[in-house]
């Protein structure tokens, strides 16, 4: 099933995610003091979904990469916000043809900014690569919740 192609854990260790790119799935577990590790709803995408991922420090947001999404291997990075027990899709960025956007991704600790590596983008010659940076609007609050329940 190729689970573990990418893994993430929060700062307090209360939330763990793993990419299963062969199954086009990202699985989430959350620690509850009274019940232990609880499975949360999985996220599903197209072939390659979950190749890369990154959680914010408190697990309030996550970005998932899929470098082979699209008919021309454009790739994509999809941003999710934690919403009462599951990750809800908030934004999606698609790369240019054959850029493999989402091959690598990173999320800032506060969840306000995420990046998408595009190793096959060609802005300065064939496959010179690029990084795209996306930010949440400054007036939108970040949601810090490190309650280990």
């Amino acid at each position: 099933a190729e689970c573990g192609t990418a893994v993430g854990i929060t700062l307090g260790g209360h939330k763990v995610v793993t990419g299963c790119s062969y199954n086009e799935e990202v699985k989430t577990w959350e620690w509850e003091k009274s019940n232990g590790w609880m499975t949360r709803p999985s996220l599903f995408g197209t072939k390659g979904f979950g190749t890369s991922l990154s959680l914010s420090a408190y697990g309030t947001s996550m970005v998932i990469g899929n470098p082979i999404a699209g008919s021309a291997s454009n790739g994509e990075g999809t941003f999710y916000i934690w919403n009462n027990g599951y990750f809800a899709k908030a934004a999606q960025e698609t790369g240019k043809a054959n850029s493999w956007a989402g091959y690598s991704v990173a999320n800032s600790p506060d969840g306000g900014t995420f990046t998408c590596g595009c190793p096959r983008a060609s802005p300065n010659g064939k496959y010179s690569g690029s990084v795209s940076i996306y930010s949440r609007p400054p007036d939108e609050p970040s949601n810090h919740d490190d309650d280990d329940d």
Side-chain angles (χ1 to χ4, degrees):
E2 292 189 18
C3 281
T5 52
V7 295
I9 188 167
T10 57
L11 180 64
H14 69 281
K15 197 175 292 165
V16 174
V17 294
T18 184
C20 307
S21 61
Y22 185 76
N23 291 349
E24 298 97 30
E25 179 181 15
V26 171
K27 296 181 177 187
T28 302
W29 294 270
E30 187 175 29
W31 178 258
E32 293 181 356
K33 288 179 183 175
S34 58
N35 297 315
W37 286 104
M38 301 298 295
T39 302
R40 300 298 181 218
S42 289
L43 298 168
F44 295 92
T46 59
K47 183 177 179 183
F49 181 77
T51 296
S52 59
L53 58 82
S54 180
L55 275 171
S56 63
Y58 299 101
T60 56
S61 67
M62 173 173 53
V63 61
I64 299 173
N66 182 348
I68 58 174
S71 60
S73 294
N74 304 41
E76 61 193 19
T78 307
F79 186 72
Y80 295 85
I81 301 288
W82 188 251
N83 183 12
N84 297 318
Y86 68 95
F87 280 105
K89 186 176 179 179
Q92 187 167 18
E93 298 296 333
T94 302
K96 294 182 173 138
N98 284 322
S99 69
W100 288 9
Y103 184 85
S104 58
V105 295
N107 197 358
S108 64
D110 70 355
T113 304
F114 76 92
T115 62
C116 252
C118 309
R120 292 184 57 141
S122 300
N124 297 308
K126 188 171 183 174
Y127 303 147
S128 58
S130 69
V131 174
S132 298
I133 302 169
Y134 307 95
S135 293
R136 177 179 39 231
D139 58 340
E140 184 179 322
S142 60
N143 181 12
H144 295 292
D145 177 11
D146 197 20
D147 184 5
D148 289 338
D149 289 336

